[in-house]
Amino acid sequence: MTDKKPQTIKSNTVVLHTAATFLLPLQFLFSVFLLLRGHDEPGGGFIAGLVASGAIVLYLFANGVSATRKLMRIKPQDLLGLGLVMCLASTLPGFFVNGEFMTALWWEFMLGESEVKLSTVLIFDIGVYLGVVGTILTIVVSLTEAEE
């Protein structure tokens, strides 16, 4: 029986570092697309949060925890808390207008020549997005720090 030490992830590979650098903005852009598209079609806050988390986790594996913390500029736990507050806040306008919680409300207004539609559903989706990103990053960053 041989005693082998567990191998740690090598964060200095050129291919991984280059891929993470180029894919990070593309994955974020795609996650925003999924977040906004999910209002009427498949997608939404949960899947968009998973895509955004995947981008940051790839960057974490390529560059390490300290570089990822500098990139995020906000703690993952704070993202989780903000997401939960936004989800809760999305339930309140329906109570004040109709007397019922979680009633979807829409607001339409003109921005230049474009009509913009905002809703409590979008606020809820953004809260779910932030909650998913905060949860996954809290877990992955904690596990990575424990291993280092």
Side-chain angles (χ1 to χ4, degrees):
M1 187 171 203
T2 62
D3 292 328
K4 289 187 176 181
K5 292 183 179 179
Q7 293 183 348
T8 59
I9 298 171
K10 292 183 179 182
S11 63
N12 57 357
T13 60
V14 175
V15 173
L16 182 62
H17 183 76
T18 305
T21 302
F22 285 111
L23 288 178
L24 182 71
L26 293 175
Q27 283 183 299
F28 267 116
L29 189 64
F30 185 61
S31 73
V32 171
F33 168 75
L34 286 174
L35 175 67
L36 297 177
R37 179 179 180 253
H39 183 70
D40 296 321
E41 297 184 34
F46 188 79
I47 192 71
L50 289 177
V51 171
S53 299
I56 298 174
V57 168
L58 180 63
Y59 189 85
L60 172 74
F61 288 161
N63 298 301
V65 173
S66 61
T68 305
R69 287 195 183 274
K70 286 181 185 176
L71 176 74
M72 292 189 319
R73 299 181 186 171
I74 186 168
K75 292 180 181 178
Q77 296 89 346
D78 294 340
L79 285 176
L80 174 60
L82 179 63
L84 292 175
V85 168
M86 288 184 73
C87 287
L88 179 64
S90 71
T91 64
L92 298 178
F95 177 75
F96 292 117
V97 173
N98 300 335
E100 299 176 6
F101 282 106
M102 299 192 79
T103 301
L105 298 175
W106 280 264
W107 301 280
E108 298 175 4
F109 59 95
M110 296 299 290
L111 184 65
E113 295 185 16
S114 301
E115 184 181 15
V116 177
K117 295 179 181 178
L118 295 178
S119 68
T120 55
V121 177
L122 179 62
I123 296 170
F124 184 81
D125 273 346
I126 293 171
V128 170
Y129 177 86
L130 294 175
V132 169
V133 170
T135 301
I136 290 177
L137 291 181
T138 298
I139 293 169
V140 173
V141 168
S142 298
L143 289 174
T144 306
E145 284 178 335
E147 189 173 304
E148 288 181 352

